[in-house]
Amino acid sequence: MYDTIIIGGGPAGLAAAVKAKKLGLKVLLLDENEFLGGILPQCIHPGFGLHYFKEELTGPEFAHRFIREINELNIEHYTNAYVLEIENYSDLEKKVVFSSPEGVKEVWGKTIIYAAGARERHAFEIGIVGDRVAGIYTAGEAQTLMDIYGVMPGKEVVIVGSGDVGLIMARRFALEGAKVKAVIELMPYPGGLARNVMILRDFEIPLYLSHKVVEVRGRKRVEKVKVVKVDENLKEIPGSEFWIECDTLLISAGLIPNVKLLKKIGAQIDPLNGGPIVNEFLETTIPGIFVAGNALLINDLVDYVAEQGELAALGAKEFIENQGILSRKWIELKRGSNVRILAPHYISGERDVYIYARVSRPMENVRVTFPEIEKELRLPVVKPSEMLRIKLKAEEIQKAEEEITMEVGKGEV
Amino acid sequence: MKTRVAIIGAGISGASIARVLSKYENLEVHLIEKNADVGWGVSKANTALIHGGYDDDPEKYPVRAKLCIKGNRLWHEWVKELEIPHIWNGALIVALRDEDFKELEELLERGRKNGVPEMRIVDKEELFHLEPNLNPEALGGLWVPIVGQIGPIPAVIAIVENAVANGVKLHLETEVRGIKVEGGEVKGVETNNGFIEADIIINAAGLYADEISRMVGVEDFEIHPRKGEYWIFDDDIPGPRRVLFPTPTPKSKGVVVTTEISGHLMIGPNAQDLPKEEKENLATTREGLEEVWKKAKELWPNLPPRSKVIRTFAGLRPEPTGGDFIIRAEKEVWGFINVAGIRSPGLTSAPAIAYEVRDIIKRDLGIKLVEKKKWNPYRKDITHFFMLSKEKANELVKQNPSYGKIVCKCNHVSEGDILEAIERMKLIGVKTPSIDSIKVRTKATSGTCQGSFCRVRIARILAREYGVDLWNVTLKGKGSEIGIGDVKVLLRGDVE
């Protein structure tokens, strides 16, 4: 029986494994890929680890630091291990069934740290119609092709979505000599971090805000895509359609936490985050199953992902020591105005917590308030693309009776 | 001397004909297909139903009426012999208005005439017993328990594999350019891959059957495409237990709501007539999909949110002049048999069409057929990891570790499954590696993520097994390569 079985060898799972081992737990790490690191090995651009390691690394470098520790600490792990099933046998015993080149195996753990990441939304999910031809990729798929396997997908590219992955791939394509003809963004503002939005200026790539791609045409491969402008309610404006010729369409329309296995065993899901409802230890509604990284909520920085992995490991330790997370007076953390994504959902006031949040729309000169505990902070700007990470101190939380609301509003009010 | 038979088109009709003709000692059967793999034409995109045989009017469409029910009965044998994925879950034709019952009575009467067993009209109570989540306003329905569903391309593949095992020669990526006729008799088929001699030519060319027929001067029919569009939802969306039809209209059986055999809720098709030239127009359209959505909602009000859509697609039915199947030996050209206009219920009728063609060869061409002493009716399906017990999986992994490596996460398809698929592809002669060939054999890429995780992994396996560069692996045949070269190809200026 393992103390904790960690599902997923990306940054959240790696950080969780290292931390759990250092806390003295018996750890098993399972990853479905041929190599550890999750998507980090294909993220060959810099910008990783500024918070966590206080220096700027590429994705492979960031992963490598953890993988080295995994090896130095002799943490038991399998690659090519795909989890087929989780069974919550009892609150203190969980079974994980996984497939590997050594066979279908069953392992038992007191806790599970679920760090299975996210998947990308694809063309069909965002309502694109037309021909189903070659040349349509999700941004991550194109990144895998180019940066792991050295394949050039195409030469004239239109990118749907101005999130970080889309922008980074715009640069990647441009650097390899492709023509990036447009980035098409549904919202009236760009979806990525400011430093990534700069890419568009650097490479003179047109950005169409409040636009969407609605149709693809081509015989064997993409030949053109149809773009339409939308109004402030995201409704298409008739007569605004135009075509862009291209051979490649990249879909970078957001990520969805990969929680199918958790759903199957009844973990409650927060419909807005897409990930599970969790307490301050990142424990789901199933005792002893913790979640971290993009399976919890979509993060913008890998540093937060690693931080969540470590927190989940602390949770697992607490769980094992007490045969469960001790009952507490849980205070519910609630979304107020302009808060779309929020976790954790329940906090106790026994320790400081970081809360992760995203706003629904950008705002300048901002007041973030928690009325029940009379906490307030001011920010020059908030954007949906940049996650807010706010520390609530134990003594602050204790001021609340039953709930704490997070509000994001205008500064002058 | 053997009689050489060339069948044009390796769709469900051509494949079925090839299988039936492979039973005979004195026939040498060549199956000719322009695509890189079998079943990629009309057979690829349809509702995948084995129909009940009640809705074709024997006065107006005698061939359809006769062959549909016959085909249904034959499928019950074929799915077992060939291990084709299937389910016999029955259909309900639902009445939403009082006046619909009149139509249901007519269908029941027609079904009786066509010889369809077990049909009956059910009242509201029994209707909801059969299908609890139907639109609560439904009043009753016609219950047809013999209706089922199969995987249409897996069926074509199974039939072709069996036909090839029984001696049929498959010519892929072979496009028919002309037909040689001398002294009123067919002599053979001119193709991009040379001349194929034939004493009998069977035209099962789907949407192009009119063009093939014109090559021998038979021009009394035209095929025009009728488009149908579909939505497929994620597998965690509950769908109906039965195949649900609305009460039909003269033009179409209506938008079906069903749980297809992989467990996904599927709705469609509508019916849009396209000009004769648009035989390659497989584009989905806003209007068409919205029409399907609206109509499906009448039967199944609980449609999931649009974010739960994992795929939309369109298929083309080949609509012939006159509306009935055209299955006949042409008198002007000895040896030329048309199997044209095989629109719905073509998938259901296919095995019966094949026997019909055999009878035409015997009766109209006067060829005495000699049965093979050793004809093998059986074919084994490839391994599907997701269907294996833990014990069986471990047994396989011990022999070959690739069975333990999951490639497609959504549908639990292992590398072993994919290697088996490739072996089967090579056995029937698939030359161009394509991801769709793997998809239809294993179900990889057809789940929630639609291949965004596994397409590259599958391409790598295909590249390795076929000995080609990764970027030359195709999505669906030549012209749909997954890349244009190595990552530096543009900087080097190797691409125009």
Side-chain angles (χ1 to χ4, degrees), chain A residues 260, chain B residues 232-239 259-260 262-265 308 310 410-411 446-448:
Chain A
K260 258 193 178 172
Chain B
I232 296 185
F233 300 92
D234 207 352
D235 54 10
D236 57 358
I237 300 297
T259 303
E260 51 102 58
S262 305
H264 298 263
L265 171 63
K308 284 291 181 181
I310 62 165
C410 303
N411 287 345
S446 67
T448 310

Side-chain angles (χ1 to χ4, degrees), chain A residues 193-248:
Chain A
L193 296 168
R195 66 175 191 228
N196 290 330
V197 178
M198 289 293 291
I199 290 168
L200 298 174
R201 206 173 314 160
D202 294 347
F203 291 88
E204 296 177 350
I205 295 166
L207 169 65
Y208 294 84
L209 296 173
S210 297
H211 279 75
K212 68 197 270 199
V213 170
V214 290
E215 190 173 342
V216 175
R217 295 313 294 259
R219 251 180 73 69
K220 301 271 184 175
R221 185 178 175 116
V222 177
E223 288 163 21
K224 56 181 181 176
V225 299
K226 189 184 190 178
V227 181
V228 59
K229 192 168 169 42
V230 299
D231 64 19
E232 57 272 21
N233 300 315
L234 307 183
K235 274 229 183 270
E236 291 167 27
I237 300 171
S240 66
E241 302 86 3
F242 60 97
W243 291 90
I244 303 179
E245 286 183 19
C246 59
D247 65 1
T248 302

Side-chain angles (χ1 to χ4, degrees), chain A residues 152-351:
Chain A
M152 192 66 193
K155 57 182 192 294
E156 292 194 318
V157 191
V158 169
I159 298 175
V160 174
S162 61
D164 292 315
V165 197
L167 295 169
I168 284 158
M169 288 314 290
R171 174 173 59 195
R172 193 71 193 95
F173 269 96
L175 285 172
E176 296 299 355
K179 173 96 185 134
V180 182
K181 299 190 91 169
V183 173
I184 311 291
E185 171 58 56
L186 179 65
M187 304 307 284
Y189 44 82
L193 296 168
R195 66 175 191 228
N196 290 330
V197 178
M198 289 293 291
I199 290 168
L200 298 174
R201 206 173 314 160
D202 294 347
F203 291 88
E204 296 177 350
I205 295 166
L207 169 65
Y208 294 84
L209 296 173
S210 297
H211 279 75
K212 68 197 270 199
V213 170
V214 290
E215 190 173 342
V216 175
R217 295 313 294 259
R219 251 180 73 69
K220 301 271 184 175
R221 185 178 175 116
V222 177
E223 288 163 21
K224 56 181 181 176
V225 299
K226 189 184 190 178
V227 181
V228 59
K229 192 168 169 42
V230 299
D231 64 19
E232 57 272 21
N233 300 315
L234 307 183
K235 274 229 183 270
E236 291 167 27
I237 300 171
S240 66
E241 302 86 3
F242 60 97
W243 291 90
I244 303 179
E245 286 183 19
C246 59
D247 65 1
T248 302
L249 180 67
L250 226 58
I251 310 291
S252 175
L255 303 172
I256 297 173
N258 175 13
V259 291
K260 258 193 178 172
L261 286 174
L262 293 182
K263 261 191 191 166
K264 229 167 112 183
I265 54 168
Q268 237 180 302
I269 304 296
D270 175 339
L272 292 176
N273 291 1
I277 305 258
V278 293
N279 63 25
E280 69 193 20
F281 299 101
L282 306 185
E283 185 186 29
T284 66
T285 49
I286 299 175
I289 298 186
F290 299 81
V291 61
N294 282 354
L296 168 64
L297 80 179
I298 302 306
N299 289 270
D300 51 355
L301 295 180
V302 71
D303 309 78
Y304 299 158
V305 166
E307 178 177 273
Q308 289 154 16
E310 293 186 347
L311 179 55
L314 278 169
K317 164 101 170 158
E318 167 107 6
F319 184 96
I320 288 159
E321 277 174 359
N322 302 303
Q323 298 218 337
I325 300 291
L326 294 179
S327 293
R328 292 171 163 84
K329 184 184 164 193
W330 290 109
I331 292 160
E332 191 180 355
L333 200 54
K334 290 191 134 175
R335 294 177 171 92
S337 65
N338 202 15
V339 177
R340 191 171 64 89
I341 301 273
L342 186 64
H345 304 78
Y346 293 94
I347 53 182
S348 68
E350 290 178 16
R351 57 180 49 72

Side-chain angles (χ1 to χ4, degrees), chain A residues 32-34 80 82-84 97 99-106 116 118-122 124-125 127-138 140-141 144-147 149-155 172-179 212-217 219-221 228 236 247 258 260 263-264, chain B residues 35 45 234-236 280-286 289 306-315 385 389-390 393-394 397-398 400-406 408-410 412 447-453 455-457 460 470-471 475-491 495-496:
Chain A
E32 66 192 24
N33 289 312
E34 289 172 64
N80 281 317
Y82 183 74
V83 175
L84 300 166
V97 183
S99 173
S100 80
E102 292 164 40
V104 178
K105 297 184 177 243
E106 283 179 14
R119 70 171 182 87
E120 298 179 274
R121 293 174 79 201
H122 53 73
F124 295 106
E125 272 173 305
I128 295 179
V129 301
D131 291 307
R132 295 164 308 283
V133 287
I136 305 171
Y137 309 84
T138 62
E141 184 185 13
T144 311
L145 271 175
M146 292 175 82
D147 294 337
Y149 301 113
V151 169
M152 192 66 193
K155 57 182 192 294
R172 193 71 193 95
F173 269 96
L175 285 172
E176 296 299 355
K179 173 96 185 134
K212 68 197 270 199
V213 170
V214 290
E215 190 173 342
V216 175
R217 295 313 294 259
R219 251 180 73 69
K220 301 271 184 175
R221 185 178 175 116
V228 59
E236 291 167 27
D247 65 1
N258 175 13
K260 258 193 178 172
K263 261 191 191 166
K264 229 167 112 183
Chain B
N35 285 305
D234 207 352
D235 54 10
D236 57 358
E280 299 288 321
N281 181 347
L282 283 163
T284 53
T285 65
R286 285 280 189 81
L289 288 169
R306 298 282 171 102
S307 60
K308 284 291 181 181
V309 172
I310 62 165
R311 194 169 185 80
T312 54
F313 68 95
F385 179 89
S389 66
K390 189 182 158 235
N394 276 333
V397 174
K398 219 175 267 167
N400 182 349
S402 65
Y403 281 103
K405 264 168 108 173
I406 299 296
C408 162
K409 310 204 292 193
C410 303
H412 294 178
T448 310
C449 86
Q450 285 293 302
S452 44
F453 281 115
R455 227 174 347 238
V456 180
R457 299 187 193 190
R460 285 185 70 215
L470 184 53
W471 51 85
L475 199 59
K476 42 180 94 183
K478 290 201 174 89
S480 67
E481 287 74 17
I482 65 159
I484 57 170
D486 70 88
V487 80
K488 297 295 172 197
V489 72
L490 291 174
L491 293 178
V495 173
E496 75 289 353

